[in-house]
Amino acid sequence: MKYDVILAGVGGQGVLSIAAIIARAAAEAGLSIKQSEVHGMAQRGGAVESHLRLADHPIHSDLIPTGHADMLLAMEPMEALRYVPFLAPSGAIVADRTQVVNIPNYPDATEVYDALERFPCVRLVDASQIARSLHAARASNMALLGAASAFLPLPPADLEAAIGAIFGRKGEAVVEKNIAAFRAGREAACGD
């Protein structure tokens, strides 16, 4: 088994927290993990990117070759488009519909959604709205992770345990809000 994920977003959206949770759940399951991340200018609204590779055998490179990612998980739709060259033909795109307009010539939202929906397996989820509806606006990344959990080779319970471990030092209320967002995102994407 091998599963490669490209994670993308804008600084401050929690892309690296998603990567840490998936990696922790995978490690607990006994899988090999490699991760690399790029977050230059992230605190000023710049792009954040992470390559996350999971396998049941040793992994020799932390970078995913172009055209080989099993999933593109993006906290922002334009960032999803930026990384589609990494996606394998059978790969899935899971992206938040909420735009972060951080460039002057940001295209019309409809054009971005239409471009993404041309791919065979796309889930555009309003993760930001899901999190706001739970009074947990900062947990939109967990709502998106919940939506992506349908594709990941890890049980949802293992991902929830990793959420608890990663956010545990912030207190039980924070853990509960993040798990609630995870479950709501999964329900929005999967209907369960």
Side-chain angles (χ1 to χ4, degrees):
M1 185 285 288
K2 174 189 76 64
Y3 200 84
D4 292 338
V5 184
I6 297 283
L7 299 106
V10 174
Q13 290 188 301
V15 169
L16 300 181
S17 293
I18 296 173
I21 289 164
I22 296 171
R24 186 175 185 111
E28 292 292 326
L31 298 175
S32 297
I33 304 156
K34 288 279 187 181
Q35 181 190 1
S36 73
E37 49 194 57
V38 176
H39 40 94
M41 301 298 284
Q43 293 186 359
R44 295 186 181 193
V48 177
E49 164 196 356
S50 179
H51 290 221
L52 181 62
R53 310 187 83 185
L54 318 173
D56 60 4
H57 52 78
I59 304 167
H60 301 291
S61 172
D62 54 356
L63 295 179
I64 300 168
T66 301
H68 285 79
D70 298 291
M71 180 192 295
L72 171 54
L73 198 169
M75 288 295 305
E76 205 282 325
M78 188 68 177
E79 292 299 322
L81 277 180
R82 182 194 308 259
Y83 293 99
V84 292
F86 284 97
L87 194 65
S90 61
I93 298 173
V94 179
D96 192 340
R97 294 182 66 84
T98 303
Q99 298 173 303
V100 176
V101 180
N102 57 356
I103 55 174
N105 57 347
Y106 194 104
D108 178 73
T110 304
E111 293 176 27
V112 175
Y113 302 149
D114 288 349
L116 286 171
E117 289 172 348
R118 289 188 192 116
F119 290 87
C121 184
V122 177
R123 298 261 169 91
L124 291 174
V125 178
D126 200 342
S128 297
Q129 177 55 37
I130 290 169
R132 281 193 301 271
S133 73
L134 296 170
H135 306 288
R138 296 183 62 166
S140 60
N141 59 342
M142 294 301 102
L144 193 66
L145 176 59
S149 67
F151 300 100
L152 291 169
L154 299 164
D158 290 2
L159 292 164
E160 289 186 15
I163 291 169
I166 295 289
F167 292 113
R169 64 182 162 75
K170 295 184 177 183
E172 191 57 34
V174 172
V175 171
E176 288 174 7
K177 281 189 175 192
N178 280 284
I179 289 177
F182 173 88
R183 290 176 179 168
R186 183 172 171 86
E187 183 178 335
C190 309
D192 65 11

